[in-house]
Amino acid sequence: MRKKKALIFGITGQDGSYLTEFLLSKNYIVHGVIRRSSSFNTGRINHIYKDPHAKGRKMILHYGDITDAISISSLIKKIQPDEIYNLAAQSHVAVSFEVPEYTANADALGTLRILEAIRFNKLEKKTKFYQAGTSEMFGKVIEIPQNEKTPFYPQSPYGVAKVYAHWITVNYREAYNIFACNGILFNHESYRRGGTFVTKKIVSGLCKIKLGLQEKLFLGNLYAKRDWGDARDFVKAMWKMLQQKKPSDYVISTGKQYTVKNFVNLVLAELNIKYSWKGKNLNEKCFANNKSIIELDKAYHRPLEVHSLLGNSNKAKRELKWKPEKNIKKLVRHMVSEEMNSLVNDKS
Ligand code: NAP
Ligand code: G4F
């Protein structure tokens, strides 16, 4: 039987790496687009990489960029993929306030470029498309919990760019009959999460503090609430969307909500650190062994905050038969144990 071919934009990211592992386990040939970088950016997929001269490679990497329409179109023409996953994005909300134009170019127009390339190469009937949408599109939430029908009200250049990407995906589905799906994914984390996202920053900082490698951790808003899931569960939902009879859009979430401070407390407990919180507002601090180990820094506040996200993924449960397998405690355990292993190995 012919193996299916997937093309992943954003293969070097957290989700790209887990999705690659998952698709390889389903017997796909996975093509991935990487950006040229002055230092290696393939750390999350090195364990899968095989030299181009090796026989029977199942993951094939290509240089490209979602801000470069010709490179996208040439790749799609050459590969003729059965499925395209667009995970490529400037994905950091706070950074999107610093680089709003680039964020729009990559996150909004990048999606349009891929859809246009499918159309231009006359692959509307062959190639299915997945767009990595986000709960950040709900922003200043209009209802709780949020589902596929909740109106969007984004609060950052990132959220606004992703709303464009969402609607252009719907537009190409309706105008050109492309099998195109939006996943509206709530926050999902793992040991492979980028170091400047709050969960990874907390886990990495507190593990270093536990090992005496760092004294303090500085954070921003402790009271933002998020619906945090496990990236390894969430990538399965992406694939399931493209296996349905009809394309549609799906919220993917756990339906449980925690504050940033709750997440910190879970990590402290996992590390067996005895702690107490003292002070208010920007002077709130976390103490362990009579030393302050967490303090707040206004620099980590955003011009606009998304205060509370909570998803309802009943549609995914019903139609995709998807539900999260791991809860937040398992997620924290995975992140802490992998981080500790890596720090201890680095030390020795
Ligand atoms: P991530 O770790 O930041 O990965 C982003 C990927 O996009 C990386 O491979 C990155 O390449 C690539 N990329 C960035 N700009 C690019 C460009 N101009 N051309 C080509 N590739 C580019 O993000 P993630 O957490 O895996 O998330 C995957 C997708 O889901 C993103 O679109 C994100 O916005 C969306 N999303 C994430 C979450 C979440 O909680 N993780 C929730 C909802 C939606 P480099 O490695 O070279 O930087
Ligand atoms: O970890 P975060 O940076 O993730 P955020 O902004 O929720 O965005 C992530 O999830 C989205 C899905 O909803 C994705 F679309 C997006 O690509 C990304 O993956 O921040 C989470 C919360 C925020 O409220 C932030 O203000 O944590 C708060 N926070 C508090 N201190 C901090 C910090 N965030 C960061 N990054 N760093 C801090 O020191």
Side-chain angles (χ1 to χ4, degrees):
M1 217 170 85
R2 184 181 76 83
K3 285 188 176 180
K4 277 193 183 172
K5 278 183 284 184
L7 171 59
I8 305 179
F9 290 90
I11 193 168
T12 55
Q14 170 188 254
D15 291 4
S17 65
Y18 286 121
L19 180 64
T20 301
E21 286 170 4
F22 179 71
L23 292 175
L24 291 175
S25 78
K26 295 265 171 212
N27 221 14
Y28 278 65
I29 299 287
V30 177
H31 292 260
V33 176
I34 61 168
R35 301 193 279 180
R36 195 270 156 182
S37 153
S38 67
S39 50
F40 287 113
N41 56 0
T42 49
R44 294 184 180 102
I45 49 170
N46 280 345
H47 60 291
I48 314 169
Y49 181 77
K50 286 212 174 108
D51 188 89
H53 305 98
K55 276 197 183 138
R57 271 188 315 155
K58 294 192 175 124
M59 180 185 76
I60 299 154
L61 301 178
H62 310 262
Y63 282 109
D65 197 297
I66 40 157
T67 61
D68 181 342
I70 293 184
S71 75
I72 294 172
S73 188
S74 320
L75 273 176
I76 291 175
K77 184 176 178 190
K78 186 165 86 182
I79 297 164
Q80 304 260 315
D82 300 288
E83 296 170 9
I84 294 179
Y85 295 86
N86 178 27
L87 313 181
Q90 189 303 92
S91 71
H92 202 283
V93 174
V95 173
S96 78
F97 288 97
E98 310 294 328
V99 288
E101 183 183 335
Y102 173 72
T103 302
N105 192 4
D107 300 13
L109 294 182
T111 308
L112 172 65
R113 290 186 187 103
I114 299 172
L115 287 163
E116 261 300 274
I118 294 175
R119 200 173 77 84
F120 181 75
N121 290 305
K122 302 193 171 32
L123 291 168
E124 298 96 324
K125 290 206 176 82
K126 175 180 170 75
T127 304
K128 297 179 178 180
F129 176 72
Y130 171 83
Q131 166 57 21
T134 163
S135 48
E136 275 291 306
M137 298 188 294
F138 297 122
K140 190 172 176 181
V141 298
I142 308 256
E143 63 178 343
I144 302 168
Q146 297 86 52
N147 63 34
E148 293 78 6
K149 295 199 170 108
T150 305
F152 297 140
Y153 194 159
Q155 296 285 284
S156 63
Y158 169 78
V160 173
K162 287 283 188 175
V163 170
Y164 174 88
H166 176 95
W167 284 115
I168 201 68
T169 299
V170 173
N171 184 252
Y172 272 57
R173 176 167 78 212
E174 293 178 356
Y176 305 116
N177 269 324
I178 295 175
F179 192 112
C181 300
N182 286 294
I184 306 174
L185 272 55
F186 282 62
N187 298 51
H188 47 279
E189 318 293 313
S190 71
Y191 169 65
R192 294 186 194 163
R193 187 60 143 148
T196 59
F197 294 96
V198 79
T199 57
K200 177 75 177 184
K201 188 176 160 184
I202 293 166
V203 169
S204 157
L206 291 178
C207 287
K208 285 184 186 148
I209 289 170
K210 172 87 182 177
L211 294 173
L213 300 170
Q214 184 175 319
E215 287 200 352
K216 263 192 224 314
L217 170 64
F218 290 93
L219 293 173
N221 179 9
L222 289 178
Y223 295 96
K225 294 180 190 155
R226 290 290 182 274
D227 177 336
W228 277 297
D230 190 307
R232 295 165 295 175
D233 288 345
F234 279 39
V235 296
K236 294 180 188 163
M238 299 175 183
W239 174 78
K240 279 177 174 259
M241 286 178 215
L242 298 195
Q243 314 312 311
Q244 299 305 296
K245 286 215 172 82
K246 283 187 183 160
S248 191
D249 307 322
Y250 296 90
V251 160
I252 301 297
S253 63
T254 70
K256 301 221 163 56
Q257 196 185 47
Y258 298 87
T259 62
V260 171
K261 190 172 170 181
N262 294 148
F263 193 89
V264 170
N265 292 342
L266 285 168
V267 176
L268 286 164
E270 184 64 28
L271 285 167
N272 278 320
I273 298 178
K274 290 210 171 68
Y275 64 93
S276 63
W277 289 93
K278 289 181 189 146
K280 279 199 171 146
N281 303 323
L282 269 180
N283 290 320
E284 189 166 6
K285 291 179 186 171
C286 180
F287 290 85
N289 287 328
N290 294 322
K291 276 198 284 191
S292 113
I293 56 164
I294 301 177
E295 294 185 12
L296 305 188
D297 183 343
K298 228 178 157 208
Y300 297 114
H301 286 201
R302 296 156 185 197
L304 276 180
E305 174 64 285
V306 170
H307 293 286
S308 173
L309 290 172
L310 178 65
N312 170 347
S313 45
N314 284 346
K315 180 178 173 190
K317 200 172 173 187
R318 212 173 44 245
E319 295 184 10
L320 304 180
K321 314 282 175 244
W322 178 90
K323 62 178 168 50
E325 286 159 27
K326 297 170 218 49
N327 63 19
I328 195 155
K329 281 204 173 150
K330 278 200 176 150
L331 170 65
V332 166
R333 185 151 296 167
H334 150 77
M335 292 181 77
V336 169
S337 72
E338 294 286 323
E339 193 75 35
M340 282 305 236
N341 282 343
S342 125
L343 287 170
V344 170
N345 286 339
D346 275 1
K347 251 179 143 184
S348 56

PDB file of all heavy atoms in Angstrom, residues 4 7 9 19 24 29 50 58 71 100 117 119 143 147 152-153 180-181 199 233 244 246 253 290 292 297 300 306 339:
ATOM      1  N   LYS A   4       1.131   7.301   2.987  1.00  0.00           N
ATOM      2  CA  LYS A   4       0.672   8.691   2.896  1.00  0.00           C
ATOM      3  C   LYS A   4       1.839   9.634   3.129  1.00  0.00           C
ATOM      4  O   LYS A   4       2.729   9.333   3.932  1.00  0.00           O
ATOM      5  CB  LYS A   4      -0.404   8.952   3.939  1.00  0.00           C
ATOM      6  CG  LYS A   4      -1.779   8.521   3.519  1.00  0.00           C
ATOM      7  CD  LYS A   4      -2.780   9.127   4.494  1.00  0.00           C
ATOM      8  CE  LYS A   4      -4.182   8.686   4.187  1.00  0.00           C
ATOM      9  NZ  LYS A   4      -5.115   9.107   5.238  1.00  0.00           N
ATOM     10  N   LEU A   7       3.168  16.890   4.955  1.00  0.00           N
ATOM     11  CA  LEU A   7       4.133  17.997   4.931  1.00  0.00           C
ATOM     12  C   LEU A   7       3.845  18.878   6.140  1.00  0.00           C
ATOM     13  O   LEU A   7       2.708  19.355   6.304  1.00  0.00           O
ATOM     14  CB  LEU A   7       3.983  18.792   3.628  1.00  0.00           C
ATOM     15  CG  LEU A   7       4.763  20.106   3.523  1.00  0.00           C
ATOM     16  CD1 LEU A   7       6.269  19.894   3.678  1.00  0.00           C
ATOM     17  CD2 LEU A   7       4.488  20.778   2.159  1.00  0.00           C
ATOM     18  N   PHE A   9       4.759  22.273   8.156  1.00  0.00           N
ATOM     19  CA  PHE A   9       5.424  23.561   8.356  1.00  0.00           C
ATOM     20  C   PHE A   9       5.499  23.762   9.868  1.00  0.00           C
ATOM     21  O   PHE A   9       4.473  23.669  10.558  1.00  0.00           O
ATOM     22  CB  PHE A   9       4.611  24.692   7.709  1.00  0.00           C
ATOM     23  CG  PHE A   9       4.634  24.645   6.202  1.00  0.00           C
ATOM     24  CD1 PHE A   9       3.661  23.921   5.501  1.00  0.00           C
ATOM     25  CD2 PHE A   9       5.627  25.304   5.491  1.00  0.00           C
ATOM     26  CE1 PHE A   9       3.690  23.863   4.115  1.00  0.00           C
ATOM     27  CE2 PHE A   9       5.659  25.252   4.102  1.00  0.00           C
ATOM     28  CZ  PHE A   9       4.685  24.533   3.412  1.00  0.00           C
ATOM     29  N   LEU A  19       4.071  15.654  16.507  1.00  0.00           N
ATOM     30  CA  LEU A  19       3.228  15.226  15.380  1.00  0.00           C
ATOM     31  C   LEU A  19       4.037  14.316  14.446  1.00  0.00           C
ATOM     32  O   LEU A  19       3.516  13.312  13.936  1.00  0.00           O
ATOM     33  CB  LEU A  19       2.687  16.451  14.623  1.00  0.00           C
ATOM     34  CG  LEU A  19       1.797  16.132  13.434  1.00  0.00           C
ATOM     35  CD1 LEU A  19       0.501  15.431  13.862  1.00  0.00           C
ATOM     36  CD2 LEU A  19       1.439  17.401  12.637  1.00  0.00           C
ATOM     37  N   LEU A  24       4.749   9.146  11.994  1.00  0.00           N
ATOM     38  CA  LEU A  24       5.652   8.030  11.648  1.00  0.00           C
ATOM     39  C   LEU A  24       5.106   6.731  12.233  1.00  0.00           C
ATOM     40  O   LEU A  24       5.167   5.680  11.581  1.00  0.00           O
ATOM     41  CB  LEU A  24       7.072   8.303  12.160  1.00  0.00           C
ATOM     42  CG  LEU A  24       7.825   9.435  11.441  1.00  0.00           C
ATOM     43  CD1 LEU A  24       9.175   9.689  12.112  1.00  0.00           C
ATOM     44  CD2 LEU A  24       8.016   9.152   9.959  1.00  0.00           C
ATOM     45  N   ILE A  29       5.144   8.971   5.448  1.00  0.00           N
ATOM     46  CA  ILE A  29       6.413   9.631   5.137  1.00  0.00           C
ATOM     47  C   ILE A  29       6.195  11.096   5.517  1.00  0.00           C
ATOM     48  O   ILE A  29       5.223  11.717   5.069  1.00  0.00           O
ATOM     49  CB  ILE A  29       6.744   9.556   3.617  1.00  0.00           C
ATOM     50  CG1 ILE A  29       6.881   8.103   3.170  1.00  0.00           C
ATOM     51  CG2 ILE A  29       7.981  10.371   3.285  1.00  0.00           C
ATOM     52  CD1 ILE A  29       8.132   7.404   3.640  1.00  0.00           C
ATOM     53  N   LYS A  50      17.722  11.188   9.847  1.00  0.00           N
ATOM     54  CA  LYS A  50      18.667  10.249   9.220  1.00  0.00           C
ATOM     55  C   LYS A  50      19.363  10.976   8.076  1.00  0.00           C
ATOM     56  O   LYS A  50      18.738  11.779   7.378  1.00  0.00           O
ATOM     57  CB  LYS A  50      17.932   9.023   8.663  1.00  0.00           C
ATOM     58  CG  LYS A  50      17.470   8.068   9.727  1.00  0.00           C
ATOM     59  CD  LYS A  50      17.495   6.626   9.201  1.00  0.00           C
ATOM     60  CE  LYS A  50      17.184   5.653  10.289  1.00  0.00           C
ATOM     61  NZ  LYS A  50      15.869   5.042  10.151  1.00  0.00           N
ATOM     62  N   LYS A  58      12.312   8.116   6.541  1.00  0.00           N
ATOM     63  CA  LYS A  58      10.865   8.375   6.637  1.00  0.00           C
ATOM     64  C   LYS A  58      10.573   9.821   6.965  1.00  0.00           C
ATOM     65  O   LYS A  58       9.439  10.268   6.904  1.00  0.00           O
ATOM     66  CB  LYS A  58      10.262   7.451   7.693  1.00  0.00           C
ATOM     67  CG  LYS A  58      10.372   6.024   7.218  1.00  0.00           C
ATOM     68  CD  LYS A  58       9.572   5.075   8.038  1.00  0.00           C
ATOM     69  CE  LYS A  58       9.664   3.707   7.406  1.00  0.00           C
ATOM     70  NZ  LYS A  58      10.138   2.707   8.303  1.00  0.00           N
ATOM     71  N   SER A  71       8.917  29.558  -2.297  1.00  0.00           N
ATOM     72  CA  SER A  71       9.487  28.322  -1.714  1.00  0.00           C
ATOM     73  C   SER A  71       8.358  27.398  -1.263  1.00  0.00           C
ATOM     74  O   SER A  71       8.433  26.175  -1.418  1.00  0.00           O
ATOM     75  CB  SER A  71      10.444  28.645  -0.554  1.00  0.00           C
ATOM     76  OG  SER A  71       9.753  29.020   0.619  1.00  0.00           O
ATOM     77  N   PRO A 100       4.937  43.026  15.607  1.00  0.00           N
ATOM     78  CA  PRO A 100       3.580  42.783  15.109  1.00  0.00           C
ATOM     79  C   PRO A 100       3.507  42.550  13.604  1.00  0.00           C
ATOM     80  O   PRO A 100       2.733  41.712  13.141  1.00  0.00           O
ATOM     81  CB  PRO A 100       2.825  44.061  15.510  1.00  0.00           C
ATOM     82  CG  PRO A 100       3.874  45.089  15.750  1.00  0.00           C
ATOM     83  CD  PRO A 100       5.101  44.353  16.200  1.00  0.00           C
ATOM     84  N   ALA A 117      -1.028  28.067  -2.523  1.00  0.00           N
ATOM     85  CA  ALA A 117      -0.149  27.104  -3.207  1.00  0.00           C
ATOM     86  C   ALA A 117      -0.910  25.814  -3.504  1.00  0.00           C
ATOM     87  O   ALA A 117      -0.718  25.207  -4.558  1.00  0.00           O
ATOM     88  CB  ALA A 117       1.077  26.827  -2.346  1.00  0.00           C
ATOM     89  N   ARG A 119      -4.074  25.631  -4.141  1.00  0.00           N
ATOM     90  CA  ARG A 119      -4.969  25.984  -5.244  1.00  0.00           C
ATOM     91  C   ARG A 119      -4.192  26.140  -6.551  1.00  0.00           C
ATOM     92  O   ARG A 119      -4.545  25.579  -7.589  1.00  0.00           O
ATOM     93  CB  ARG A 119      -5.658  27.295  -4.889  1.00  0.00           C
ATOM     94  CG  ARG A 119      -6.924  27.576  -5.659  1.00  0.00           C
ATOM     95  CD  ARG A 119      -7.573  28.805  -5.084  1.00  0.00           C
ATOM     96  NE  ARG A 119      -6.912  30.034  -5.508  1.00  0.00           N
ATOM     97  CZ  ARG A 119      -7.149  30.657  -6.636  1.00  0.00           C
ATOM     98  NH1 ARG A 119      -8.043  30.180  -7.485  1.00  0.00           N
ATOM     99  NH2 ARG A 119      -6.529  31.762  -6.941  1.00  0.00           N
ATOM    100  N   GLU A 143     -17.893  34.310  26.275  1.00  0.00           N
ATOM    101  CA  GLU A 143     -18.642  33.336  27.085  1.00  0.00           C
ATOM    102  C   GLU A 143     -17.688  32.318  27.696  1.00  0.00           C
ATOM    103  O   GLU A 143     -16.565  32.150  27.233  1.00  0.00           O
ATOM    104  CB  GLU A 143     -19.722  32.629  26.245  1.00  0.00           C
ATOM    105  CG  GLU A 143     -19.168  31.809  25.106  1.00  0.00           C
ATOM    106  CD  GLU A 143     -20.271  31.094  24.326  1.00  0.00           C
ATOM    107  OE1 GLU A 143     -21.399  30.966  24.828  1.00  0.00           O
ATOM    108  OE2 GLU A 143     -19.973  30.651  23.205  1.00  0.00           O
ATOM    109  N   ASN A 147     -16.452  27.562  22.977  1.00  0.00           N
ATOM    110  CA  ASN A 147     -16.576  26.447  22.029  1.00  0.00           C
ATOM    111  C   ASN A 147     -16.441  26.981  20.601  1.00  0.00           C
ATOM    112  O   ASN A 147     -16.104  28.153  20.401  1.00  0.00           O
ATOM    113  CB  ASN A 147     -17.898  25.689  22.242  1.00  0.00           C
ATOM    114  CG  ASN A 147     -19.098  26.578  21.984  1.00  0.00           C
ATOM    115  OD1 ASN A 147     -19.070  27.467  21.122  1.00  0.00           O
ATOM    116  ND2 ASN A 147     -20.172  26.369  22.726  1.00  0.00           N
ATOM    117  N   PHE A 152     -14.864  35.513  18.377  1.00  0.00           N
ATOM    118  CA  PHE A 152     -13.465  35.856  18.675  1.00  0.00           C
ATOM    119  C   PHE A 152     -13.361  37.319  19.122  1.00  0.00           C
ATOM    120  O   PHE A 152     -14.089  38.190  18.636  1.00  0.00           O
ATOM    121  CB  PHE A 152     -12.581  35.666  17.432  1.00  0.00           C
ATOM    122  CG  PHE A 152     -12.526  34.231  16.933  1.00  0.00           C
ATOM    123  CD1 PHE A 152     -12.538  33.956  15.570  1.00  0.00           C
ATOM    124  CD2 PHE A 152     -12.441  33.165  17.819  1.00  0.00           C
ATOM    125  CE1 PHE A 152     -12.470  32.644  15.097  1.00  0.00           C
ATOM    126  CE2 PHE A 152     -12.373  31.850  17.361  1.00  0.00           C
ATOM    127  CZ  PHE A 152     -12.389  31.591  15.998  1.00  0.00           C
ATOM    128  N   TYR A 153     -12.415  37.589  20.029  1.00  0.00           N
ATOM    129  CA  TYR A 153     -12.115  38.954  20.460  1.00  0.00           C
ATOM    130  C   TYR A 153     -10.638  38.975  20.879  1.00  0.00           C
ATOM    131  O   TYR A 153     -10.315  39.041  22.064  1.00  0.00           O
ATOM    132  CB  TYR A 153     -13.032  39.344  21.630  1.00  0.00           C
ATOM    133  CG  TYR A 153     -13.080  40.814  21.987  1.00  0.00           C
ATOM    134  CD1 TYR A 153     -14.158  41.325  22.701  1.00  0.00           C
ATOM    135  CD2 TYR A 153     -12.056  41.694  21.650  1.00  0.00           C
ATOM    136  CE1 TYR A 153     -14.229  42.661  23.055  1.00  0.00           C
ATOM    137  CE2 TYR A 153     -12.114  43.035  21.993  1.00  0.00           C
ATOM    138  CZ  TYR A 153     -13.201  43.502  22.698  1.00  0.00           C
ATOM    139  OH  TYR A 153     -13.251  44.829  23.054  1.00  0.00           O
ATOM    140  N   ALA A 180     -10.099  21.607   4.467  1.00  0.00           N
ATOM    141  CA  ALA A 180      -9.283  22.439   5.355  1.00  0.00           C
ATOM    142  C   ALA A 180      -9.952  22.541   6.720  1.00  0.00           C
ATOM    143  O   ALA A 180     -11.151  22.821   6.806  1.00  0.00           O
ATOM    144  CB  ALA A 180      -9.116  23.830   4.745  1.00  0.00           C
ATOM    145  N   CYS A 181      -9.189  22.306   7.775  1.00  0.00           N
ATOM    146  CA  CYS A 181      -9.726  22.310   9.143  1.00  0.00           C
ATOM    147  C   CYS A 181      -8.956  23.287  10.018  1.00  0.00           C
ATOM    148  O   CYS A 181      -7.726  23.370   9.918  1.00  0.00           O
ATOM    149  CB  CYS A 181      -9.560  20.944   9.800  1.00  0.00           C
ATOM    150  SG  CYS A 181     -10.399  19.623   8.947  1.00  0.00           S
ATOM    151  N   THR A 199       4.981  27.813  31.494  1.00  0.00           N
ATOM    152  CA  THR A 199       5.109  26.518  32.186  1.00  0.00           C
ATOM    153  C   THR A 199       6.558  26.030  32.158  1.00  0.00           C
ATOM    154  O   THR A 199       7.101  25.602  33.173  1.00  0.00           O
ATOM    155  CB  THR A 199       4.217  25.445  31.534  1.00  0.00           C
ATOM    156  OG1 THR A 199       4.565  25.348  30.151  1.00  0.00           O
ATOM    157  CG2 THR A 199       2.743  25.783  31.674  1.00  0.00           C
ATOM    158  N   ASP A 233      -0.983  14.647  23.691  1.00  0.00           N
ATOM    159  CA  ASP A 233      -2.393  14.321  23.426  1.00  0.00           C
ATOM    160  C   ASP A 233      -2.942  15.170  22.287  1.00  0.00           C
ATOM    161  O   ASP A 233      -3.724  14.694  21.445  1.00  0.00           O
ATOM    162  CB  ASP A 233      -3.259  14.639  24.661  1.00  0.00           C
ATOM    163  CG  ASP A 233      -3.034  13.665  25.804  1.00  0.00           C
ATOM    164  OD1 ASP A 233      -2.451  12.604  25.563  1.00  0.00           O
ATOM    165  OD2 ASP A 233      -3.451  13.988  26.937  1.00  0.00           O
ATOM    166  N   GLN A 244     -11.557  12.800   9.068  1.00  0.00           N
ATOM    167  CA  GLN A 244     -13.026  12.804   9.057  1.00  0.00           C
ATOM    168  C   GLN A 244     -13.565  12.779   7.623  1.00  0.00           C
ATOM    169  O   GLN A 244     -12.835  13.046   6.679  1.00  0.00           O
ATOM    170  CB  GLN A 244     -13.547  14.081   9.767  1.00  0.00           C
ATOM    171  CG  GLN A 244     -13.137  14.179  11.223  1.00  0.00           C
ATOM    172  CD  GLN A 244     -13.553  12.961  12.016  1.00  0.00           C
ATOM    173  OE1 GLN A 244     -14.727  12.691  12.167  1.00  0.00           O
ATOM    174  NE2 GLN A 244     -12.578  12.214  12.517  1.00  0.00           N
ATOM    175  N   LYS A 246     -15.877  14.891   6.545  1.00  0.00           N
ATOM    176  CA  LYS A 246     -16.026  16.286   6.117  1.00  0.00           C
ATOM    177  C   LYS A 246     -15.107  17.179   6.945  1.00  0.00           C
ATOM    178  O   LYS A 246     -14.950  16.939   8.149  1.00  0.00           O
ATOM    179  CB  LYS A 246     -17.466  16.747   6.353  1.00  0.00           C
ATOM    180  CG  LYS A 246     -18.436  16.239   5.344  1.00  0.00           C
ATOM    181  CD  LYS A 246     -19.778  16.903   5.579  1.00  0.00           C
ATOM    182  CE  LYS A 246     -20.792  16.346   4.602  1.00  0.00           C
ATOM    183  NZ  LYS A 246     -22.154  16.579   5.086  1.00  0.00           N
ATOM    184  N   SER A 253      -9.285  21.026  24.051  1.00  0.00           N
ATOM    185  CA  SER A 253      -8.974  21.565  25.383  1.00  0.00           C
ATOM    186  C   SER A 253      -9.202  20.478  26.417  1.00  0.00           C
ATOM    187  O   SER A 253      -9.715  19.401  26.102  1.00  0.00           O
ATOM    188  CB  SER A 253      -9.910  22.741  25.676  1.00  0.00           C
ATOM    189  OG  SER A 253     -11.248  22.264  25.719  1.00  0.00           O
ATOM    190  N   ASN A 290      13.435  30.303  54.053  1.00  0.00           N
ATOM    191  CA  ASN A 290      13.598  31.722  54.430  1.00  0.00           C
ATOM    192  C   ASN A 290      14.209  32.600  53.334  1.00  0.00           C
ATOM    193  O   ASN A 290      14.611  33.717  53.600  1.00  0.00           O
ATOM    194  CB  ASN A 290      14.458  31.866  55.697  1.00  0.00           C
ATOM    195  CG  ASN A 290      13.723  31.271  56.873  1.00  0.00           C
ATOM    196  OD1 ASN A 290      12.494  31.410  56.975  1.00  0.00           O
ATOM    197  ND2 ASN A 290      14.453  30.579  57.725  1.00  0.00           N
ATOM    198  N   SER A 292      13.693  34.294  49.381  1.00  0.00           N
ATOM    199  CA  SER A 292      12.669  34.478  48.340  1.00  0.00           C
ATOM    200  C   SER A 292      13.178  33.818  47.047  1.00  0.00           C
ATOM    201  O   SER A 292      14.264  34.130  46.559  1.00  0.00           O
ATOM    202  CB  SER A 292      12.376  35.968  48.170  1.00  0.00           C
ATOM    203  OG  SER A 292      12.785  36.406  46.932  1.00  0.00           O
ATOM    204  N   ASP A 297       8.039  40.640  38.167  1.00  0.00           N
ATOM    205  CA  ASP A 297       8.661  41.724  37.395  1.00  0.00           C
ATOM    206  C   ASP A 297       7.638  42.189  36.362  1.00  0.00           C
ATOM    207  O   ASP A 297       7.170  41.386  35.541  1.00  0.00           O
ATOM    208  CB  ASP A 297       9.929  41.191  36.703  1.00  0.00           C
ATOM    209  CG  ASP A 297      10.661  42.290  35.944  1.00  0.00           C
ATOM    210  OD1 ASP A 297      10.052  43.355  35.675  1.00  0.00           O
ATOM    211  OD2 ASP A 297      11.834  42.072  35.591  1.00  0.00           O
ATOM    212  N   TYR A 300       7.272  41.411  32.542  1.00  0.00           N
ATOM    213  CA  TYR A 300       6.591  40.249  31.945  1.00  0.00           C
ATOM    214  C   TYR A 300       5.085  40.449  31.786  1.00  0.00           C
ATOM    215  O   TYR A 300       4.374  39.530  31.395  1.00  0.00           O
ATOM    216  CB  TYR A 300       6.890  38.979  32.757  1.00  0.00           C
ATOM    217  CG  TYR A 300       8.358  38.646  32.741  1.00  0.00           C
ATOM    218  CD1 TYR A 300       9.116  38.698  33.902  1.00  0.00           C
ATOM    219  CD2 TYR A 300       8.989  38.343  31.541  1.00  0.00           C
ATOM    220  CE1 TYR A 300      10.479  38.426  33.883  1.00  0.00           C
ATOM    221  CE2 TYR A 300      10.352  38.079  31.509  1.00  0.00           C
ATOM    222  CZ  TYR A 300      11.090  38.125  32.674  1.00  0.00           C
ATOM    223  OH  TYR A 300      12.430  37.869  32.639  1.00  0.00           O
ATOM    224  N   VAL A 306      -4.804  38.249  28.328  1.00  0.00           N
ATOM    225  CA  VAL A 306      -5.964  37.350  28.239  1.00  0.00           C
ATOM    226  C   VAL A 306      -6.080  36.723  29.622  1.00  0.00           C
ATOM    227  O   VAL A 306      -5.218  35.958  30.039  1.00  0.00           O
ATOM    228  CB  VAL A 306      -5.744  36.289  27.137  1.00  0.00           C
ATOM    229  CG1 VAL A 306      -6.814  35.217  27.204  1.00  0.00           C
ATOM    230  CG2 VAL A 306      -5.745  36.950  25.766  1.00  0.00           C
ATOM    231  N   GLU A 339      13.158  17.452  32.900  1.00  0.00           N
ATOM    232  CA  GLU A 339      14.042  18.608  33.153  1.00  0.00           C
ATOM    233  C   GLU A 339      15.150  18.216  34.128  1.00  0.00           C
ATOM    234  O   GLU A 339      16.327  18.540  33.915  1.00  0.00           O
ATOM    235  CB  GLU A 339      13.193  19.746  33.754  1.00  0.00           C
ATOM    236  CG  GLU A 339      13.857  21.098  33.789  1.00  0.00           C
ATOM    237  CD  GLU A 339      13.917  21.761  32.429  1.00  0.00           C
ATOM    238  OE1 GLU A 339      12.975  21.588  31.621  1.00  0.00           O
ATOM    239  OE2 GLU A 339      14.914  22.457  32.170  1.00  0.00           O
TER     240      GLU A 339
END
